[in-house]
Amino acid sequence: MSSVRGVGRHLKTDHPYLTLFALVELIFLVLPSFIILVASLGAGEIISFPPDELSLRWYVSLLDEGEYIQPFLNSVMVATICTIISIPIGLSTALGLNRYDIRFEHGIQLYLLLPFTIPLVVSGFILLILFGRLGWIGNIWAVGLALTIINIPFMIWSVASSVNAFDPTLENAARSLGAEEVQTFRHVTLPALMPGVISGSLMMFMLALNEFIVSLIITISDTETLPVAIYSAIRGNISPQIAAISSVYVIVAIIAIIVADRLVGLDKFLHS
């Protein structure tokens, strides 16, 4: 965080116009979340900003009615599965691309660009056809696997940033002291790569938690995630209850940022 503050002070003193632009952009990004948070506190039946009267009735209704509890739990399960699968894949791929002469290295690097070139709706239909053939549609773990497939490049990039910054002489020193390869990885390599692993894990969890397009295509009623449930609800009526459940997402995102700052620091997280 100290480096972020240092950059902020530098911009403030030497680049006032850039600071003003950054401030306007920050307000532009934060304003929608602020509006949703305030609108969710309205007491009326119709969503409005600013609300005429403040109340927590719509947050209470989320627990009383329970309509969104199961989709929320599904989203958390899907995000957890996605994160767990992505960690060993991200570690092995990032280390392999960095240390070994892989025959299909250029093909793998090309694959890492696919999330930016192939529309998610196309990926969703491909996964629907594939999972349908395999009989996996209707399984919550299959949704987690699908979101891992489309988001795994982000995990690989995050770990790769730590791998590229890692000093291999530390491993050589451990081996020269008698450590076996597994011991070296466990006690030297893995701790050094943890900032990238933690950053990538948080990123994968949040991406899976918020994924909508692919989830809409491959989920059924039993595996419906929260974004899909929200979409189904707003097609009929946009009530303050929708603003309340959206605010839960904002709060979860804020908690994730705080966790990232505490564990690895926002400066390292943003550079991963």
Side-chain angles (χ1 to χ4, degrees), residues 43-65:
E45 297 290 335
I46 300 176
I47 190 170
S48 61
F49 180 84
D52 298 328
E53 183 181 354
L54 298 180
S55 173
L56 294 176
R57 59 171 293 196
W58 297 110
Y59 288 93
V60 176
S61 71
L62 294 177
L63 299 176
D64 290 342
E65 298 179 11

Side-chain angles (χ1 to χ4, degrees), residues 5 31-33 35-36 58 83 86-87 103 107 110 132 136 152 182 193 217 226 230 261 267:
R5 297 191 191 100
L31 191 59
S33 298
I35 292 175
I36 286 294
W58 297 110
T83 304
S86 67
I87 290 175
R103 183 178 180 182
L110 180 62
W136 292 354
I152 191 62
V182 174
L193 302 184
I217 295 174
L226 190 54
I230 293 175
D261 184 34
D267 51 348

Side-chain angles (χ1 to χ4, degrees), residues 116-129:
F116 303 102
T117 57
I118 296 181
L120 288 176
V121 64
V122 175
S123 300
F125 277 115
I126 292 174
L127 291 170
L128 177 64
I129 295 172

Side-chain angles (χ1 to χ4, degrees), residues 3-30:
S3 61
V4 175
R5 297 191 191 100
V7 172
R9 287 195 296 269
H10 180 71
L11 290 175
K12 184 176 181 180
T13 55
D14 298 337
H15 305 282
Y17 295 108
L18 183 58
T19 302
L20 178 62
F21 176 78
L23 194 59
V24 172
E25 185 177 4
L26 180 62
I27 294 174
F28 179 77
L29 293 173
V30 173

Side-chain angles (χ1 to χ4, degrees), residues 80-98:
T80 302
I81 293 170
C82 177
T83 304
I84 292 174
I85 295 175
S86 67
I87 290 175
I89 296 176
L91 272 170
S92 57
T93 304
L95 286 169
L97 290 174
N98 179 267

Side-chain angles (χ1 to χ4, degrees), residues 131-194:
F131 286 6
R133 286 274 186 169
L134 296 173
W136 292 354
I137 299 297
N139 295 308
I140 195 70
W141 60 264
V143 182
L145 177 61
L147 301 190
T148 303
I149 293 172
I150 64 171
N151 291 322
I152 191 62
F154 295 99
M155 182 68 178
I156 296 174
W157 288 337
S158 179
V159 180
S161 66
S162 293
V163 173
N164 293 332
F166 178 67
D167 185 1
T169 58
L170 296 175
E171 290 181 327
N172 296 332
R175 294 193 190 99
S176 66
L177 294 174
E180 297 179 356
E181 191 165 344
V182 174
Q183 292 175 316
T184 301
F185 177 80
R186 180 180 175 184
H187 297 288
V188 178
T189 309
L190 185 58
L193 302 184
M194 282 308 293

